[in-house]
Amino acid sequence: KYTKYLIARDSLECLIMIDGLQRLVIDYHFEEEIEVILGRINKSIAESDGIYDDNDLYYVSLRFRLLRQNGYHPSADVFNKFKDENETFKLSLREDLRGIMELFEASEFCTEGEIILDEAFVFASKHLNDVLKHVGEDEARVIRDTLNHPYNKSFVRFKAKPYIKNFERDYGTNDILQELVKVDFNIVQTLHQKELLEVSMGWKDLGLTQELKFARNQQVKWYLWSIAALSDPRYSKERIELKKPISLIYIMDDIFYVHRTFDELVLFTEAINMWDLSALEKLPYYMKVFYKVIYDITDDISSKVFEEHGYNPSDSLQKAALGGVFRLPNGIPIVAINRPVLEDVGIGCVETKAICEGFRVANRLGFESLCVRADSEFAVKVLNGDYKHPWSCITDLRDVKNVISRMDDCLIINKKREGNCCRLHHFRDGYS
């Protein structure tokens, strides 16, 4: 009865409720209702021939974000009405704090070439940073959370409980939602505990912990990756299976960077590319153990997929699911996950992303000034705007822009070194 009532309500009320359900991670109970509402709204936009009568920044931004978030692709031109004669966002919009926060969230769904959303991101992030000094602590906490953890970059389930307070503050207490959230939380928590126990016992049975004592054994961390990728409680079996290759990626990382010789890595690279158990003969014992586990897990997942869906993905899994082990032209083997690492631009993307991660670390440490000295000329030119940014780096570069906007000084320069590296220096106290 409640959901039928909701479907018939005003669009803004529906959108607010959908946003609340998704942030509380109980939206999977209402998939059909949400699809009906969003489908109806998307249809009305299409029938309007691009003419929008809505002048409410919050409503337009929320509608845009939810549609894109759920697989629709409304035009970003809807935000043109919020610009002045100088083609910049109207200063009067700064009075609408809720609207600015939602505009920031909407800008996170930018696709390549949507300049207006890039402008919206800069406008909203600058204003939200400025207003932090003039609001109360509770409101400042919400703004900081929006800036640092926008919806599409967050592990939503971890933010569900704190969101209840914000929802009640803005829209009032809802006993039905409160009870549903509480019951659902307890059920899902029990489910996750059972899954964690199962994957932990399964990992113990593989024997890698005993055979590869140098490698990490972080069951909870690896399992959280599968929860992040498949948050819907209904995908329990898939989470359990996904945790296996995720674990192997970490073990492979330890082999490559902690416990190996160059010659061993060359042999292991060749064995992976051969994908045949006969390749075991040339490997050292610890690699034999690991290679056999990779081979068996891939075969097991392939069999389960074939049994359930009638398709054998073994070839695809061998080439992609565990990443690929490649050798660069100089013969050095590296691990790459679905990246064109043998192309110069591909390597440049990896280097650019690494520097962007450095900016995130500097931001978390509270740096107010930064000097970046990087060996990668390509990455430096991308960060300085001299090269067009690679599509795969667009989100990272927007994060960097946001970090830089909060700093007093920032310098990014190219400095050649013997090896490829990046150094970040704090101007004021010399930390790097």
Side-chain angles (χ1 to χ4, degrees):
K1 291 181 180 180
Y2 183 73
T3 54
K4 290 180 180 179
Y5 167 79
L6 177 61
I7 291 175
R9 299 297 294 169
D10 174 75
S11 291
L12 177 57
E13 185 178 351
C14 289
L15 291 174
I16 291 173
M17 184 58 67
I18 291 172
D19 186 40
L21 293 174
Q22 292 184 340
R23 290 181 181 275
L24 293 169
V25 206
I26 55 175
D27 53 300
Y28 69 96
H29 293 294
F30 305 96
E31 283 184 347
E32 293 183 8
E33 293 81 3
I34 291 173
E35 183 61 31
V36 168
I37 294 169
L38 294 180
R40 183 185 66 198
I41 293 174
N42 187 63
K43 182 179 178 181
S44 68
I45 292 175
E47 292 174 349
S48 70
D49 295 323
I51 301 174
Y52 304 97
D53 297 322
D54 307 291
N55 294 306
D56 183 340
L57 179 62
Y58 174 73
Y59 171 59
V60 173
S61 301
L62 178 63
R63 180 182 63 187
F64 177 87
R65 175 173 67 82
L66 288 179
L67 286 173
R68 287 218 171 172
Q69 194 169 290
N70 290 275
Y72 297 96
H73 194 79
S75 172
D77 292 342
V78 68
F79 294 106
N80 281 324
K81 66 167 55 191
F82 299 107
K83 287 187 168 185
D84 57 24
E85 61 276 5
N86 297 318
E87 290 299 308
T88 59
F89 280 93
K90 299 174 183 177
L91 294 180
S92 59
L93 294 174
R94 295 183 299 182
E95 303 298 321
D96 183 5
L97 183 57
R98 186 174 73 156
I100 292 291
M101 290 175 64
E102 193 54 53
L103 177 65
F104 176 83
E105 292 272 18
S107 73
E108 291 289 340
F109 287 85
C110 172
T111 58
E112 189 172 20
E114 291 183 314
I115 297 175
I116 190 170
L117 290 181
D118 285 328
E119 295 171 344
F121 174 82
V122 173
F123 172 78
S125 58
K126 183 179 186 306
H127 175 65
L128 291 175
N129 277 296
D130 291 342
V131 82
L132 277 172
K133 307 169 187 176
H134 309 290
V135 297
E137 182 55 37
D138 288 342
E139 204 164 23
R141 176 180 52 78
V142 175
I143 294 173
R144 280 193 296 268
D145 186 62
T146 299
L147 287 169
N148 296 326
H149 308 288
Y151 180 89
N152 70 318
K153 296 179 182 175
S154 302
F155 194 175
V156 183
R157 186 165 291 279
F158 281 175
K159 297 176 64 179
K161 291 183 74 174
Y163 178 75
I164 295 177
K165 294 181 180 179
N166 298 337
F167 189 86
E168 291 177 350
R169 183 196 62 203
D170 294 337
Y171 309 111
T173 302
N174 188 313
D175 294 336
I176 298 176
L177 270 183
Q178 278 189 337
E179 185 62 25
L180 178 58
V181 170
K182 181 179 178 180
V183 172
D184 184 81
F185 178 85
N186 291 333
I187 292 174
V188 174
Q189 184 183 57
T190 301
L191 175 65
H192 287 165
Q193 290 171 345
K194 290 180 178 178
E195 290 175 2
L196 180 58
L197 177 62
E198 182 173 342
V199 298
S200 297
M201 294 299 294
W203 182 257
K204 184 178 180 181
D205 292 341
L206 289 175
L208 284 181
T209 304
Q210 292 74 30
E211 297 291 350
L212 308 180
K213 296 187 182 299
F214 62 86
R216 281 169 285 187
N217 183 22
Q218 302 171 322
Q219 299 302 307
V220 176
K221 176 181 177 179
W222 300 339
Y223 171 64
L224 284 176
W225 275 106
S226 65
I227 294 181
L230 300 169
S231 59
D232 192 320
R234 292 170 294 185
Y235 296 140
S236 179
K237 290 192 300 183
E238 289 79 3
R239 277 192 297 275
I240 291 171
E241 294 303 317
L242 179 59
K243 186 264 179 187
K244 296 175 184 177
I246 289 173
S247 305
L248 296 180
I249 289 172
Y250 277 92
I251 301 300
M252 187 181 290
D253 183 67
D254 288 338
I255 288 176
F256 269 70
Y257 295 104
V258 178
H259 190 88
R260 81 288 182 269
T261 66
F262 178 80
D263 290 338
E264 288 174 347
L265 291 186
V266 171
L267 291 173
F268 187 72
T269 300
E270 293 172 347
I272 287 289
N273 286 327
M274 283 180 59
W275 200 252
D276 192 293
L277 288 178
S278 62
L280 285 172
E281 298 176 5
K282 298 180 180 180
L283 296 177
Y285 177 72
Y286 76 96
M287 282 187 172
K288 287 181 180 179
V289 174
F290 182 62
Y291 187 92
K292 183 66 165 58
V293 170
I294 293 178
Y295 193 94
D296 290 344
I297 286 180
T298 303
D299 185 62
D300 180 57
I301 292 176
S302 298
S303 298
K304 289 178 179 177
V305 172
F306 181 78
E307 182 179 338
E308 191 162 337
H309 302 285
Y311 163 69
N312 189 340
S314 58
D315 289 340
S316 299
L317 288 175
Q318 292 164 20
K319 296 175 182 178
L322 297 175
V325 181
F326 305 94
R327 271 192 289 179
L328 293 176
N330 61 7
I332 298 176
I334 65 171
V335 177
I337 301 173
N338 295 329
R339 292 194 185 284
V341 296
L342 300 183
E343 301 175 11
D344 290 342
V345 174
I347 296 173
C349 289
V350 174
E351 293 167 338
T352 302
K353 284 178 172 290
I355 296 174
C356 291
E357 185 59 33
F359 270 96
R360 294 189 183 102
V361 172
N363 181 51
R364 288 196 292 270
L365 293 174
F367 285 13
E368 297 176 359
S369 304
L370 204 62
C371 176
V372 179
R373 297 177 182 175
D375 181 66
S376 171
E377 182 179 0
F378 175 85
V380 169
K381 288 191 173 182
V382 168
L383 288 160
N384 283 325
D386 298 325
Y387 282 174
K388 183 179 179 181
H389 59 257
W391 171 237
S392 62
C393 298
I394 185 171
T395 301
D396 303 279
L397 292 169
R398 287 175 57 159
D399 286 348
V400 168
K401 286 183 180 179
N402 192 23
V403 172
I404 292 176
S405 69
R406 305 177 196 177
M407 292 184 170
D408 297 330
D409 300 292
C410 183
L411 181 64
I412 305 172
I413 59 176
N414 179 226
K415 187 171 180 64
K416 292 296 180 183
R417 302 176 186 276
E418 292 182 1
N420 182 35
C421 64
C422 169
R423 294 190 178 183
L424 290 80
H425 298 279
H426 194 315
F427 279 136
R428 297 192 175 177
D429 53 21
Y431 290 148
S432 63

